[in-house]
Amino acid sequence: MSENSLDELSFDDFDEVVSPRPEETEFDRIVAAAISRRAFLGGVVAFGSVATVGSGLIPGKVEAGMDRFGFVPIDANTLNTVTVPEGFNSSVLLQWGDPILPGAPEFDEESRGEGSSQALTFGDNTDGMDFFIRENVNLLVVNNEYTNRGVIWGNRPEGKFANDDDVLKGMRAHGVSVVEIKETDGNWEVVADSPYNRRITPETLMEITGPARGSDLLKTTAEPTGTESLGTWNNCGNGMTPWGTYLTCEENFNGYFSSDNQDLEVSPEFKRYGISTSDWGYGWATIDERFDIEKHPNEPNRAGYVVEIDPFDPLSKPRKLTALGRFKHENAEVVINSDGKVVVYMGDDERGEFIYRFISDGYYAATGDNSELLEKGTLAVAKFFEDGTGQWLDLTPETTGFASKAEICVNTRIAASVVGATTMDRPEWVTSNPNAAEVYCALTNNKNRGIKPNAGGDPTPVGGPNPREANLYGQIVRWRPKGYDHTAPGFEWDLYVLAGNPAIHTDNRRGSANVDAGNMFNSPDGIKFDTKGLLWIQTDGNYSNEGDFAGQGNNQMLVGDTATGEIRRFLVGPQKCEVTGMTWSSDRRTMFVGIQHPNEGWPNGGNSVARSAIVAVKRDDGDILA
Ligand code: FEO
Ligand code: CA
Ligand code: CA
Ligand code: CA
């Protein structure tokens, strides 16, 4: 395909093509002002002590004899397989197109399935997931973020859809899969006839909850009440509530809308979210006109939310949580504060977008009804200062000038720009330390840092938690709420790691002191704490193993000790993949890891069709893993 073909672009590059960033008005002045700061920070990083950017939490060395990891780190590699440390093994549990509902056919390598089979089988591009257990029933609830067009339509000319059913198949490869699994003699298997198994797709009826429920902005001719919508898609990271529900996060929801009328005037609100007359190559508007933004201009306002699902009730109606704001949601990290308030931390993954916090009005009660806690509360956005402190800025009609909470919950990015939030280097997953009032967010990379404003025209100066121009490698920021109180307006922050390549760079691209030629990586994305308080880090970056990325190999998963700063490589994924999504069995003896968009031949060998899949990782001795 030609280099400029829209369907060959990644989601973030696509957004820049269809919604070009604003002209750089006074941006040159802002960049010039940032240069003095950059010189300062560059110097600090070059000496390998990024901790001084913040409150100095990272000791430079691991204390002798301390080993909380329980494995010997592995080298980077470019093999077309999953590599784990000695004493561990991995096996494929579930792959795209595997039957999960009654009547589903086995995967057909030739046709790669139809619309009808995809509705009954595991979706594509496994992403965020969690493990639920109740009365000995184990459920794996998994996001199917998007689909690999060149693979699902690899049987068509140029890998493009050839008819309506091809489009429908692609649509149904999206959403969420609920799958019962059981372990027999140490092997996990899908329970094929489980009554809990479920596919949730862009066709599933949803309830709209929260401040934007019933808002004029959400009403369409097909659904004039603004209280129900059809479907969820581009489900990236996830969250889990203590009351047993699953949170799935709608990320690049914009890339599915289009219009035949290429001259259509696109509103500033749509531009901020990358909604345009061109879709990402899926053709959904060709089979369902609600994806045509000229015919149904409010339909895009009904996507871009966190959705709550009760996995143990297969008939339950998923609920869109407008109170948690509308943006390109990465994941949703739920923390119960010491006073019982529910706090949800969330990243908006686009260059120069923001980190958010939701605080419930109500209080969590272990034995009470918690079903409406995520419907009412206060949304705030993070501002980071150079001195290592930060502030949550509430998004209310008073602070934003917006007419209502409903409007803030629909055009959240614009409200956050009004209050002056800090533009970040693509906030991916957020996770909180189970042993401390401390929260981490992966900032994956940002080639526009210090170069271009964000989609709303906000400057992206170099500095604070985004200390490198044209950030190639990414970093992980962490913050500690004042007084250990997750509802406090203030916090202190520093960087846990600044990724880089110390084998070829000596300036700030070498990374922080806890990065060396043995554990280096780029583009941290999925992050999650285990019960021991170790931080698991998955990457979605450049796997060329060349140039700036020489020696870093395929995408991978690492483990960090946040007390010492040490980071070790635990797993290397197959070629071309992204490693994303992780959870553990309730006995902590199995770790489930997602492999997205792998290369041909994985996981089934030879020239078999590439199929994204979940792998189960165990210790050979069956002992507790994490
Ligand atoms: Fe779906 Fe930002 O990753
Ligand atoms: Ca991600
Ligand atoms: Ca990513
Ligand atoms: Ca992905």
Side-chain angles (χ1 to χ4, degrees):
M1 266 170 270
S2 81
E3 241 179 86
N4 295 323
S5 163
L6 283 181
D7 52 304
E8 279 294 284
L9 298 172
S10 68
F11 273 111
D12 43 314
D13 286 326
F14 166 81
D15 282 347
E16 292 207 17
V17 173
V18 300
S19 308
R21 296 301 176 261
E23 286 305 313
E24 299 170 19
T25 48
E26 61 170 330
F27 195 64
D28 287 346
R29 186 185 61 75
I30 292 154
V31 170
I35 282 173
S36 53
R37 271 202 301 276
R38 186 166 75 243
F40 167 72
L41 288 163
V44 170
V45 171
F47 292 109
S49 173
V50 70
T52 53
V53 173
S55 52
L57 292 172
I58 307 169
K61 276 189 187 150
V62 182
E63 283 175 44
M66 251 185 79
D67 187 354
R68 300 171 60 206
F69 293 88
F71 68 91
V72 176
I74 60 172
D75 292 337
N77 72 54
T78 56
L79 304 171
N80 200 21
T81 189
V82 170
T83 310
V84 290
E86 205 178 318
F88 291 77
N89 60 78
S90 76
S91 59
V92 176
L93 170 69
L94 182 59
Q95 38 185 319
W96 166 55
D98 277 352
I100 61 172
L101 288 169
E106 289 295 330
F107 183 76
D108 182 336
E109 285 258 336
E110 201 60 44
S111 69
R112 299 146 193 242
E114 289 87 32
S116 57
S117 62
Q118 185 64 82
L120 305 173
T121 54
F122 188 52
D124 200 0
N125 276 345
T126 177
D127 207 313
M129 61 178 144
D130 257 311
F131 182 97
F132 292 78
I133 183 165
R134 191 182 289 176
E135 288 158 7
N136 287 327
V137 174
N138 305 300
L139 299 184
L140 206 52
V141 188
V142 188
N143 290 343
N144 298 114
E145 187 184 30
Y146 64 102
T147 185
N148 302 306
R149 290 152 299 173
V151 176
I152 63 164
W153 301 320
N155 55 333
R156 304 296 190 202
E158 294 180 67
K160 294 191 172 169
F161 63 84
N163 57 45
D164 287 358
D165 191 66
D166 282 353
V167 176
L168 186 62
K169 173 172 79 169
M171 188 184 271
R172 289 175 172 171
H174 289 68
V176 178
S177 299
V178 181
V179 187
E180 184 179 350
I181 57 174
K182 73 165 193 289
E183 192 179 26
T184 312
D185 299 329
N187 294 313
W188 287 98
E189 283 175 342
V190 170
V191 180
D193 55 353
S194 168
Y196 296 103
N197 290 359
R198 182 179 188 187
R199 280 302 319 281
I200 294 167
T201 71
E203 300 171 302
T204 305
L205 187 64
M206 316 246 142
E207 189 78 19
I208 297 171
T209 74
R213 176 181 167 85
S215 157
D216 286 348
L217 291 170
L218 268 56
K219 294 174 180 169
T220 66
T221 48
E223 199 284 296
T225 69
T227 59
E228 287 183 323
S229 71
L230 276 184
T232 184
W233 57 89
N234 213 284
N235 305 81
C236 182
N238 72 297
M240 191 181 190
T241 67
W243 53 93
T245 58
Y246 180 80
L247 302 178
T248 184
C249 302
E250 298 174 348
E251 191 188 20
N252 293 295
F253 67 91
N254 58 309
Y256 301 83
F257 294 97
S258 64
S259 174
D260 285 338
N261 177 7
Q262 293 293 314
D263 299 326
L264 183 71
E265 184 92 23
V266 174
S267 67
E269 290 81 7
F270 277 12
K271 282 185 179 157
R272 182 64 187 271
Y273 286 91
I275 296 154
S276 79
T277 55
S278 300
D279 75 4
W280 203 48
Y282 286 124
W284 290 8
T286 66
I287 63 164
D288 186 342
E289 70 165 41
R290 73 189 159 106
F291 294 98
D292 184 319
I293 60 171
E294 186 173 43
K295 294 186 179 127
H296 299 282
N298 279 350
E299 192 64 36
N301 291 341
R302 295 145 66 87
Y305 297 104
V306 176
V307 181
E308 186 172 17
I309 295 167
D310 178 356
F312 282 100
D313 179 1
L315 298 177
S316 60
K317 196 173 172 187
R319 299 160 67 248
K320 293 213 168 187
L321 306 172
T322 68
L324 273 54
R326 174 169 165 268
F327 43 90
K328 295 186 181 177
H329 280 281
E330 182 71 21
N331 82 321
E333 176 69 355
V334 177
V335 179
I336 303 301
N337 197 44
S338 51
D339 63 357
K341 294 256 186 182
V342 182
V343 177
V344 188
Y345 290 105
M346 300 168 284
D348 180 356
D349 178 11
E350 190 169 328
R351 298 185 186 104
E353 291 296 339
F354 310 128
I355 295 173
Y356 293 85
R357 179 185 73 175
F358 168 85
I359 302 172
S360 64
D361 283 351
Y363 297 86
Y364 170 68
T367 55
D369 176 6
N370 298 294
S371 60
E372 292 175 9
L373 284 176
L374 301 181
E375 292 186 13
K376 284 194 195 116
T378 305
L379 200 56
V381 66
K383 176 105 181 164
F384 293 80
F385 301 108
E386 292 284 339
D387 66 357
T389 67
Q391 194 81 18
W392 292 101
L393 308 173
D394 286 349
L395 301 177
T396 66
E398 294 71 36
T399 60
T400 61
F402 277 45
S404 65
K405 248 184 155 169
E407 287 181 30
I408 293 168
C409 291
V410 174
N411 287 309
T412 310
R413 283 183 165 182
I414 299 169
S417 285
V418 170
V419 301
T422 300
T423 57
M424 307 298 288
D425 285 345
R426 296 186 57 200
E428 300 258 21
W429 290 58
V430 187
T431 184
S432 67
N433 189 335
N435 303 321
E438 186 181 68
V439 187
Y440 290 63
C441 180
L443 303 171
T444 198
N445 57 53
N446 182 2
K447 68 181 181 190
N448 292 346
R449 171 63 55 189
I451 311 280
K452 274 189 193 177
N454 73 6
D458 302 326
T460 65
V462 173
N466 310 285
R468 292 180 294 190
E469 186 176 65
N471 178 12
L472 280 177
Y473 299 107
Q475 64 267 17
I476 297 176
V477 63
R478 62 181 166 186
W479 59 90
R480 290 177 167 175
K482 283 260 169 71
Y484 311 102
D485 176 359
H486 286 281
T487 68
F491 58 88
E492 290 188 354
W493 66 269
D494 73 352
L495 296 178
Y496 169 63
V497 63
L498 199 59
N501 193 328
I504 59 169
H505 291 301
T506 53
D507 60 11
N508 66 19
R509 291 172 295 175
R510 77 160 303 286
S512 49
N514 49 353
V515 171
D516 57 44
N519 71 1
M520 63 180 178
F521 60 96
N522 72 88
S523 306
D525 187 332
I527 56 173
K528 212 180 233 189
F529 275 101
D530 67 19
T531 50
K532 289 197 291 189
L534 291 173
L535 179 69
W536 294 71
I537 303 165
Q538 301 175 318
T539 72
D540 169 23
N542 187 306
Y543 47 76
S544 66
N545 204 36
E546 291 173 358
D548 288 320
F549 308 98
Q552 301 193 334
N554 297 345
N555 276 305
Q556 55 193 275
M557 185 163 72
L558 309 104
V559 189
D561 182 331
T562 58
T564 64
E566 190 187 358
I567 294 173
R568 290 188 186 178
R569 187 181 295 109
F570 176 80
L571 177 149
V572 177
Q575 292 161 355
K576 296 190 178 177
C577 85
E578 156 188 357
V579 181
T580 184
M582 64 185 125
T583 190
W584 294 269
S585 60
S586 53
D587 65 7
R588 317 301 287 187
R589 293 174 200 276
T590 305
M591 181 170 194
F592 300 98
V593 180
I595 302 294
Q596 244 194 29
H597 53 81
N599 198 5
E600 186 180 84
W602 194 86
N604 302 310
N607 297 322
S608 61
V609 173
R611 293 166 70 186
S612 62
I614 296 171
V615 296
V617 179
K618 289 174 156 255
R619 292 180 62 95
D620 293 343
D621 61 12
D623 211 343
I624 289 171
L625 188 148

